[in-house]
Amino acid sequence: MHTAIIMDGNGRWARARNLRREAGHRAGARAVDAVIRAAARHGVTTLTLYAFSSDNWFRPHAEVEALFGLLRRYLMTQTERCLAQSLRLNVIGRRDRLSAELRRQIEHSEALTADCTRMHVRIAVDYSARHSIMQAGRLAGAAAAQPADYLRLLGEVSHSAPPAPAVDLLIRTGGERRLSDFLLWECAYAELHFVDCLWPDFDAAAFAQALADYAGRQRRFGRVAAANDAALEHA
């Protein structure tokens, strides 16, 4: 199962407490830890977290630097824990605009956890689904690629190792109801789960509720439900 999360609401969480936005991002990082542990317990095989979109470069410089500092510290402090729990770390998205120091830390964390098999944890940084789709299209050329081939190409251009399957469940916190240029191809048939709570308040119980909601849905992928087919045959 591939679960993806748009982690929205850190800034609003901080503002409601008269704190700087950076404090909200620090609280959001703690929520990341709780949700990764919960996802592993529930048997999720791929978890993709939207940490920094390509559009986030337009945010204030101090906030951007704080976000990248949090990512560096997260990779430095959590890689060993992920290794112990057999969680494979992977940062997806563009890397040409990241600092050399951050790229080295990303590559180090990915190399250390490359053989882990319990869960593939992908953190989307400087990520844009539209950019990835355009880049994959250039690689595909004129050849008529199958959806599975395109998933592989998307993984290649986004530095996903291994390439991830299509998304089964997309969760967005913070009360918004949009995809925000996140995994557009991979979410073609994803079930969508929107919650009003801000990301720092999203915990293991909220994650379990999202999985329970997903389990109660019927995924038909454009087909007619089997029960309806049987009813029509006997009509």
Side-chain angles (χ1 to χ4, degrees):
M1 179 179 179
H2 182 181
T3 300
I5 306 179
I6 300 174
M7 306 180 293
D8 194 14
N10 291 344
R12 282 173 285 160
W13 183 92
R15 188 167 62 247
R17 291 160 177 77
N18 295 316
L19 300 172
R20 294 175 59 86
R21 291 178 62 86
E22 290 83 350
H25 295 311
R26 288 194 294 272
R30 292 191 289 272
V32 166
D33 289 337
V35 168
I36 288 177
R37 291 194 297 270
R41 287 197 303 272
H42 285 283
V44 172
T45 54
T46 303
L47 178 68
T48 305
L49 304 172
Y50 205 9
F52 188 89
S53 79
S54 293
D55 290 326
N56 288 156
W57 286 108
F58 295 104
R59 292 189 176 190
H61 178 74
E63 182 178 354
V64 171
E65 287 299 300
L67 282 165
F68 286 137
L70 275 173
L71 176 61
R72 283 195 300 271
R73 286 193 292 276
Y74 183 87
L75 294 173
M76 291 171 62
T77 60
Q78 299 300 315
T79 297
E80 290 295 334
R81 179 183 294 178
C82 288
L83 186 62
Q85 297 178 14
S86 196
L87 307 179
R88 182 171 187 168
L89 278 174
N90 185 199
V91 174
I92 67 169
R94 295 181 59 170
R95 296 191 181 180
D96 56 304
R97 298 189 288 192
L98 304 182
S99 69
E101 179 185 4
L102 180 54
R103 289 198 302 270
R104 284 193 295 270
Q105 184 60 57
I106 289 170
E107 291 164 2
H108 177 69
S109 297
E110 289 178 335
L112 278 181
T113 61
D115 294 328
C116 295
T117 58
R118 185 181 181 189
M119 185 170 69
H120 185 192
V121 180
R122 306 195 311 163
I123 303 173
V125 175
D126 195 3
Y127 178 84
S128 161
R130 289 177 293 185
H131 179 268
S132 295
I133 289 169
M134 288 189 295
Q135 294 297 106
R138 292 189 181 100
L139 288 179
Q146 296 297 313
D149 299 324
Y150 221 80
L151 277 174
R152 176 183 55 78
L153 291 172
L154 286 169
E156 183 177 334
V157 301
S158 298
H159 302 94
S160 179
V167 175
D168 297 295
L169 171 64
L170 173 76
I171 301 168
R172 180 169 187 150
T173 63
E176 302 293 349
R177 305 291 193 270
R178 57 178 178 268
L179 295 181
S180 297
D181 198 17
F182 183 49
L183 302 176
L184 300 180
W185 179 278
E186 296 90 329
C187 283
Y189 279 100
E191 295 294 322
L192 308 181
H193 181 84
F194 299 109
V195 293
D196 291 331
C197 82
L198 304 176
W199 174 248
D201 295 324
F202 191 82
D203 56 14
F207 185 76
Q209 180 57 50
L211 293 182
D213 177 65
Y214 169 80
R217 300 190 190 184
Q218 187 178 65
R219 305 184 74 197
R220 294 190 289 271
F221 301 96
R223 300 172 179 85
V224 177
N228 290 342
D229 286 344
L232 287 172
E233 288 174 4
H234 293 91

